[in-house]
Amino acid sequence: MTSPPVKRKLAAILAADAVGYSRAMATDEEGTMKILAAHRAVIDGIIQFHEGRIVNTAGDSVLAEFASPTQAVRCAVEVQDALKTRNDSLPEDRRMQFRIGVNLGDVMVKGDDLLGDGVNVAARLESIAEPGNIYVSSSVYDQIAGKLDLGFSDLGEQSLKNIDRPVRADRVDRDKRATPPARKKKGSPLPWVAAGLAVVVLGAGATWYASQQSAARQAEEAKAKLDAEAAKARADAEIAKARAELEEAKKAAVAATDSAAAAKRALEEQRAAESLARAQSQVAAARADAESTRRKADAELAAAVEARRTAEAAAKSASVAKPIPVKASPSYAGAWKATFSCAAFQEFPAEKFEVPVMFSAGKFEMQRGKPQEPGSLTMTGTPQADGNLQMSGRGYSIRKAFLGRPFEMSFGGKVSTERYDGRGKFGNRDCTMSMVRATGVVQTTVAAQPAPAARTAGSTRSYDGQWTGTFACSGGKDPDRSFPAFVSYSAKGFEVQANKPGQPGYRLLTGVPQPDGNLRLTGNIFRDSNTSFAASVEGRFSGDRYEGKGKFLDRACNLTFNRR
């Protein structure tokens, strides 16, 4: 059984392609896709208006078929004019230009696709065209010369990739808008010799024939002039209609872009609301844990008081020798302050920042921020009998490219009752870490000594409950402003946050209140997702109100918070 013959036809092929599309996608995929979609809406609308059929699209390229080369070239010109108007309204680095090639040739039909040399020549002409220009083959030029109000530049014969013959090409000069004379074709001189002989033979009758035909020619010229004016009027009307439809298409594209931006903003607001709800849930859970810890501590304190009373009663009734004092041994218990000094690494500058540390239950524990949130870190370590201390833990990145990604931290050094100095890694950065007591007081414990007397009622200040606060900052280059501070209290002390984690201006300060009501809060303020600087606030409680002051670079800030 023989295969059916291949179907062929003569068609005008338009091939268009975006210039620098791959480079723009590598820089900004989302923005490039939006601009391409808006441009394609304009291109597809103009092709449809000129009765063209889009044969194939592949990313940034378009292949269309027209029944007439005049329609194909007129469509190409209006596409470039429309894209120029749109690009002029965009920033220079966001503009996207197209180049177009048009060819008239024999093509093969396969389903909805077109194949063959006629398609290949159009694609190769597009590939050598300059951005924003239109190249046409000589077969197109010969058909449209004198029919469109356009200028043309003869580019001569071009050697095109995978085309085995040179192709003569012309560039469409849209700015000239002048109809060029038809190109003269080279040929043999024999027709001119024959024409000369004919003139000699017919010279005698030329005068009589001209006089007879003069009136008829004048009538035909007048009719041709009227027909040309009518055709021009129809063409002008079609152009006006096309431009009106193009404006509508542009408005629709802009509206689509605005709608996408609004949807993106709504999604971001929804995510922010969900993040706030999670944070509030975590704060509530932390408060519940703090209340449970407080109740447990109260129970332990009551048990200790009862045990002390029992011991005192037993001591009075027993006749034993005076106990031999036992030498006090150093203790690390209480609040400490860690200072990190990190060298520059890639885009990170050298920086120095502080983090609060607590020692309890036989180990040091460092905590900044909410666990597993960008900018947070946790490290722990147990001191050895010889003073060696290995601190290790995990942090979560604030870099935009790795936001929220975990990294490891490890530091080794010697610790005394007053100071620790260590070296190690903060992710990939080389850093040193020193720790000193937050209050500057060395605490000691005495083995086998009686428990201290219990505090009298009312001597211990309670900070449990809900708090609300405000930062008020002035000075520097930025205007004066006030913004809310999110304050929470747990067994580890106070934690004050402002703004959102991972965003410029995010700050996280922590501190443990002293028995005299003084509270020093220390932490970091993030300039952007990659850099931060250390900050502190000094202040004091007065009843259920705290007032503190601090210097954040060149700005003075006041922090106040009250119990609700």
Side-chain angles (χ1 to χ4, degrees):
M1 181 176 181
T2 60
S3 60
V6 177
K7 294 183 180 180
R8 293 180 176 272
K9 67 177 179 179
L10 186 66
I13 305 299
L14 181 150
D17 179 69
V19 180
Y21 174 75
S22 297
R23 182 173 61 256
M25 285 289 286
T27 303
D28 181 7
E29 289 186 354
E30 186 175 344
T32 301
M33 288 300 297
K34 288 181 179 179
I35 295 174
L36 177 63
H39 280 23
R40 278 297 309 276
V42 173
I43 295 172
D44 294 355
I46 296 175
I47 291 175
Q48 184 179 8
F49 173 78
H50 287 282
E51 299 180 354
R53 181 177 73 91
I54 296 177
V55 179
N56 189 18
T57 60
D60 59 325
S61 63
V62 180
L63 188 70
E65 169 197 10
F66 294 84
S68 163
T70 304
Q71 288 178 305
V73 173
R74 182 179 288 132
C75 175
V77 170
E78 292 187 11
V79 165
Q80 293 291 31
D81 288 345
L83 295 185
K84 182 178 184 304
T85 300
R86 180 170 180 79
N87 281 328
D88 288 344
S89 65
L90 297 173
E92 186 172 353
D93 60 341
R94 307 297 295 161
R95 296 175 182 176
M96 181 183 294
Q97 291 186 315
F98 276 71
R99 50 192 177 192
I100 299 177
V102 183
N103 179 47
L104 175 64
D106 185 69
V107 298
M108 295 184 294
V109 181
K110 183 179 180 181
D112 293 333
D113 292 337
L114 297 180
L115 308 170
D117 189 66
V119 176
N120 296 337
V121 171
R124 296 308 179 192
L125 286 174
E126 169 266 307
S127 67
I128 67 171
E130 298 172 351
N133 279 275
I134 305 166
Y135 283 12
V136 301
S137 64
S138 59
S139 60
V140 173
Y141 176 88
D142 292 341
Q143 295 297 320
I144 68 173
K147 297 179 182 178
L148 298 175
D149 185 19
L150 298 169
F152 296 86
S153 294
D154 187 358
L155 303 177
E157 292 185 344
Q158 301 290 322
S159 295
L160 304 179
K161 183 178 179 180
N162 296 333
I163 304 300
D164 57 1
R165 69 185 188 285
V167 176
R168 195 176 187 89
D170 289 83
R171 182 181 64 237
V172 178
D173 295 332
R174 308 194 311 277
D175 294 337
K176 293 183 179 180
R177 303 293 185 184
T179 304
R183 182 189 292 120
K184 296 181 179 180
K185 298 183 179 179
K186 294 181 180 181
S188 172
L190 291 177
W192 294 101
V193 175
L197 294 175
V199 169
V200 172
V201 174
L202 300 176
T207 303
W208 177 84
Y209 181 78
S211 63
Q212 294 296 319
Q213 297 296 322
S214 176
R217 185 167 57 252
Q218 290 176 358
E220 291 178 356
E221 289 176 353
K223 184 177 182 298
K225 183 176 180 181
L226 292 175
D227 292 342
E229 290 176 350
K232 185 176 183 302
R234 287 194 300 272
D236 290 342
E238 291 179 358
I239 291 173
K241 181 180 178 182
R243 286 175 177 169
E245 294 180 352
L246 177 60
E247 288 299 323
E248 290 297 325
K250 287 168 61 179
K251 290 179 181 178
V254 171
T257 302
D258 293 342
S259 177
K264 181 179 179 182
R265 286 194 300 271
L267 179 59
E268 291 175 349
E269 291 174 357
Q270 179 182 352
R271 289 176 177 172
E274 292 174 352
S275 177
L276 179 59
R278 286 195 300 270
Q280 291 174 343
S281 176
Q282 292 172 355
V283 169
R287 287 171 179 164
D289 291 342
E291 180 63 20
S292 175
T293 302
R294 184 186 66 79
R295 292 175 180 174
K296 182 178 179 182
D298 290 343
E300 291 175 351
L301 179 60
V305 170
E306 184 63 27
R308 180 186 175 92
R309 290 174 180 171
T310 303
E312 289 175 348
K316 290 179 181 179
S317 61
S319 56
V320 294
K322 184 178 180 180
I324 300 174
V326 180
K327 184 179 179 180
S329 60
S331 172
Y332 307 111
W336 293 63
K337 177 182 69 177
T339 302
F340 289 86
S341 297
C342 297
F345 177 74
Q346 294 182 357
E347 73 273 18
F348 287 98
E351 63 176 327
K352 187 175 183 180
F353 56 93
E354 297 178 350
V355 181
V357 184
M358 287 293 294
F359 182 88
S360 63
K363 66 178 180 179
F364 286 94
E365 184 173 2
M366 178 187 303
Q367 178 72 49
R368 183 181 75 181
K370 298 291 185 183
Q372 300 185 0
E373 287 190 357
S376 66
L377 61 88
T378 303
M379 281 208 302
T380 59
T382 303
Q384 304 302 310
D386 58 358
N388 284 324
L389 174 60
Q390 183 72 27
M391 296 287 288
S392 60
R394 174 173 290 186
Y396 292 84
S397 177
I398 59 173
R399 295 175 60 188
K400 183 177 181 181
F402 305 99
L403 187 64
R405 181 176 295 179
F407 60 87
E408 303 300 323
M409 301 174 294
S410 179
F411 289 82
K414 286 277 189 178
V415 64
S416 67
T417 57
E418 297 182 358
R419 185 176 181 87
Y420 169 79
D421 291 291
R423 291 180 176 274
K425 287 285 189 178
F426 193 90
N428 292 324
R429 305 178 68 181
D430 293 321
C431 302
T432 62
M433 182 182 77
S434 62
M435 290 194 306
V436 296
R437 289 187 180 274
T439 60
V441 177
V442 178
Q443 301 182 13
T444 60
T445 59
V446 179
Q449 294 297 316
R455 295 181 182 268
T456 58
S459 64
T460 302
R461 185 191 300 267
S462 175
Y463 299 101
D464 294 330
Q466 297 182 348
W467 297 78
T468 179
T470 303
F471 276 103
C473 298
S474 61
K477 298 179 181 179
D478 296 329
D480 298 350
R481 62 185 291 253
S482 297
F483 48 93
F486 300 98
V487 184
S488 61
Y489 177 77
S490 66
K492 297 181 180 180
F494 277 94
E495 181 176 275
V496 180
Q497 298 186 65
N499 295 327
K500 296 180 180 179
Q503 292 186 352
Y506 173 65
R507 58 196 64 191
L508 173 63
L509 306 176
T510 59
V512 178
Q514 302 303 309
D516 59 0
N518 287 325
L519 172 61
R520 183 172 187 264
L521 296 161
T522 62
N524 288 67
I525 298 178
F526 294 86
R527 291 175 174 166
D528 51 41
S529 60
N530 293 327
T531 59
S532 64
F533 60 87
S536 64
V537 173
E538 298 276 358
R540 183 180 179 86
F541 282 95
S542 176
D544 288 341
R545 179 178 177 83
Y546 172 82
E547 295 183 357
K549 295 182 178 181
K551 189 77 171 180
F552 300 166
L553 294 181
D554 57 348
R555 290 172 64 80
C557 293
N558 294 331
L559 169 63
T560 60
F561 53 86
N562 304 278
R563 198 195 306 264
R564 296 186 196 178

